[in-house]
Amino acid sequence: MEAQARVGVASAPAPFLVPADDPVELLQRHWVTKLRVVSALDSYRTATTDQLAALTGSKNLLNPNNRIVSQLFAHRLADVGEPPSAFTRKSQSGIRFLRPSNGGRKLRERWLNRYLTYPEWVRATGARPWIFGGQSTRHDSLGLELLLRSAEWNRQVSAVAGEKYCSAEEVLFTSWGVPWPLAKSSRAKADGMLVRKDGLRILIELTATTHSLDEKAKRWAKALAEGSVETQGTVVVFVLASRPSTRGGGDTFGLVAGAIRRAVAAHPGRSDAPTRDRLLVADWARWFPEPDMVDEEFLQLKAWRTSKDAVPQNYDSCEPVELSSWECDLPAGARGMPHTLAGLYASPFWMQEQYRGVEIQRRRASTMFDLDSPVLQPPVPNGGAVPPAGTPVRLRG
C-alpha cells in the first residue's frame, strides 16, 4: 500500500492513513481489545473482522474501517486484506481479513519490549515466541470458524486453541511431562484444538486437499502409537473441507479414510490402545449442510472411525463416534488445561470470564501503580541471565 502510494498508482483508504509514530496514548485506546486481536492472530494465523468481533466481544470490529484495525495496521502489528470481487474493485462482503504483520521484528520492538507488561505478554503469547508466516486465508479462517462454532454451541467444549498451541510434541508429550521420543522430522501440528471439560483434547486437521495427506496421517499415527488416551489425552479428527466447486468431483472421503487406514497399518499402537480408535474423520458439509444451519452431528461432535479391513467408501461403512460423550479416564492434572487456555487473550471472551488472574493496570503510571511491575526485556545475546525488568513505556508518567 505504501509503495503504491509513493509512485502514485493508488492511495490508502482514509481510515488507514494513521501515522506509524502515533503517541503511546493513542495506541492505548481500546488496549485490551488490541491485545486480544494481536493474540488471536498469533494463535489462529488469519481471521476476518467478524470473527475477531466474536472472539473479543468488541462491536467496533464489525466495522472493517474501525480505528482499532487501522492503528494495528499503522503500527505494523497486522496486515489487512479483503476478498476480491470479479465485477468491481471493491469487496462486496464488507469483511476484511487480518493476519500477523510481516514486519515481525518491528512488532517485537514496538509492541513486545516497549508496551507490554510481563503478565500481558504471557496472556498474549502463551509465553512463547511470536509466529510469522505460513498463513492460508481460506484454511485459517475456516479453522477459526470451526473453533468459534464449537465454543459457542457445544457445551462439552470448555476451551479452544489455535495452531500455535497444537504441536504433537507439546500436546501429546511435553505437556504431560514426557520428552518428545521421535525424530524431528516426525513432528506434526494440527490446525486447532477443542478441549472438553474433563481435559480431553480434540485436535482438528482441516483437510481441503489431499496434498501430503499420507505423510500427515502417518506422522499423527506414529506419535499416537507411543501412548494411549490416558497418557496423551488426545484424539485427532481429520475434517474434510473441500471447496464447494470440487465437491462431487472425487471420492475425498475415501482418499482420507484410505490415508488413515494406511497410517494405522504402519503404526497400529498397543493392543489395548490402538491408534485406529484415535484417528477419526468428519465432514464440514455434514456438520454444516447449509448456510446458517448446524446439524445435530456437530452438536455431538460426531466423527467416524475407519474400518479395520477394506478402505471404507462412505460413512455407512464406518463406526460413528460421539466425541462429546466419549468416555475416557484422564488423570486429574488434565482438567487444568481448559482453565489455562481460558486465560489467554486469544480465547473467546466468554471463556476468558472463567479466568481469575491478576488484573492488569492499563492506565498511566500513577501513585496507585507499582512502578516495579515487570515488562519483558530482550534476551541477553549468547545466553546469560535476563536483565532486570522495568516499567513499559506506556505506563511511565
Side-chain angles (χ1 to χ4, degrees):
M1 186 180 290
E2 290 177 341
Q4 291 178 342
R6 280 196 299 270
V7 298
V9 175
S11 61
F16 287 84
L17 297 176
V18 180
D21 57 351
D22 272 345
V24 175
E25 287 79 4
L26 185 58
L27 189 62
Q28 286 187 82
R29 296 177 185 175
H30 305 288
W31 179 251
V32 174
T33 299
K34 290 173 181 174
L35 281 177
R36 288 176 173 173
V37 170
V38 172
S39 179
L41 299 181
D42 187 46
S43 176
Y44 307 111
R45 317 304 299 126
T46 306
T48 68
T49 45
D50 280 11
Q51 289 174 331
L52 290 170
L55 274 171
T56 64
S58 172
K59 295 181 180 180
N60 293 326
L61 292 169
L62 292 174
N63 174 10
N65 292 324
N66 72 87
R67 284 292 180 180
I68 295 174
V69 173
S70 62
Q71 287 165 11
L72 291 176
F73 173 82
H75 284 270
R76 308 299 189 269
L77 298 175
D79 286 343
V80 183
E82 60 183 21
S85 169
F87 304 104
T88 66
R89 292 185 179 181
K90 295 184 178 180
S91 168
Q92 294 179 328
S93 65
I95 294 176
R96 284 202 167 96
F97 290 92
L98 272 69
R99 68 182 186 187
S101 173
N102 289 327
R105 292 185 179 179
K106 290 185 177 181
L107 184 151
R108 183 179 296 274
E109 176 185 352
R110 290 174 176 270
W111 187 265
L112 177 59
N113 295 334
R114 295 189 61 195
Y115 299 140
L116 296 188
T117 63
Y118 189 81
E120 287 172 330
W121 173 75
V122 171
R123 293 191 67 182
T125 68
R128 296 162 173 81
W130 299 98
I131 297 178
F132 307 100
Q135 294 97 348
S136 173
T137 303
R138 179 183 185 272
H139 188 273
D140 296 343
S141 56
L142 278 180
L144 175 53
E145 185 67 24
L146 179 57
L147 297 180
L148 271 172
R149 295 182 185 188
S150 300
E152 183 175 1
W153 289 97
N154 195 296
R155 295 184 178 180
Q156 291 299 319
V157 174
S158 58
V160 299
E163 174 188 329
K164 179 173 184 174
Y165 305 99
C166 295
S167 69
E169 180 178 7
E170 180 175 5
V171 176
L172 301 182
F173 297 99
T174 57
S175 64
W176 299 85
V178 179
W180 175 253
L182 304 173
K184 291 183 179 180
S185 59
S186 299
R187 290 174 177 167
K189 180 177 283 189
D191 301 308
M193 176 168 60
L194 314 177
V195 185
R196 286 194 334 194
K197 293 179 180 179
D198 64 352
L200 179 71
R201 307 153 198 212
I202 304 169
L203 291 177
I204 301 297
E205 276 284 6
L206 206 65
T207 305
T209 68
T210 56
H211 177 68
S212 303
L213 186 58
D214 275 273
E215 180 62 27
K216 187 180 296 186
K218 285 181 179 178
R219 287 184 179 184
W220 281 116
K222 190 174 183 179
L224 291 172
E226 295 288 325
S228 64
V229 173
E230 283 67 35
T231 60
Q232 296 175 332
T234 306
V235 298
V236 180
V237 181
F238 283 77
V239 179
L240 311 183
S242 304
R243 293 180 181 274
S245 59
T246 63
R247 288 179 190 159
D251 183 17
T252 307
F253 174 83
L255 293 173
V256 175
I260 292 176
R261 181 177 175 273
R262 288 187 292 273
V264 168
H267 306 284
R270 305 196 313 251
S271 59
D272 62 336
T275 55
R276 187 181 75 90
D277 290 346
R278 290 170 285 150
L279 272 176
L280 310 172
V281 60
D283 191 343
W284 182 285
R286 287 181 68 106
W287 281 354
F288 313 111
E290 298 291 341
D292 303 319
M293 182 179 292
V294 176
D295 192 88
E296 186 71 24
E297 290 182 355
F298 174 69
L299 301 180
Q300 301 164 348
L301 288 179
K302 189 175 182 180
W304 285 263
R305 182 185 291 125
T306 59
S307 62
K308 294 182 180 179
D309 304 315
V311 176
Q313 297 302 314
N314 54 56
Y315 291 93
D316 296 333
S317 58
C318 288
E319 180 184 351
V321 179
E322 292 184 10
L323 291 172
S324 290
S325 57
W326 192 39
E327 295 184 4
C328 59
D329 185 18
L330 296 176
R335 297 166 193 166
M337 171 66 77
H339 178 80
T340 302
L341 289 176
L344 298 175
Y345 283 127
S347 295
F349 74 93
W350 62 91
M351 289 181 168
Q352 290 184 42
E353 292 174 356
Q354 306 171 27
Y355 178 74
R356 295 293 181 265
V358 178
E359 179 65 23
I360 304 299
Q361 170 64 269
R362 294 183 293 272
R363 295 192 298 268
R364 273 189 174 186
S366 66
T367 56
M368 298 175 60
F369 191 78
D370 180 7
L371 292 179
D372 292 328
S373 178
V375 60
L376 188 72
Q377 297 293 325
V380 177
N382 303 320
V386 176
T391 303
V393 173
R394 79 173 206 279
L395 297 176
R396 297 172 189 169

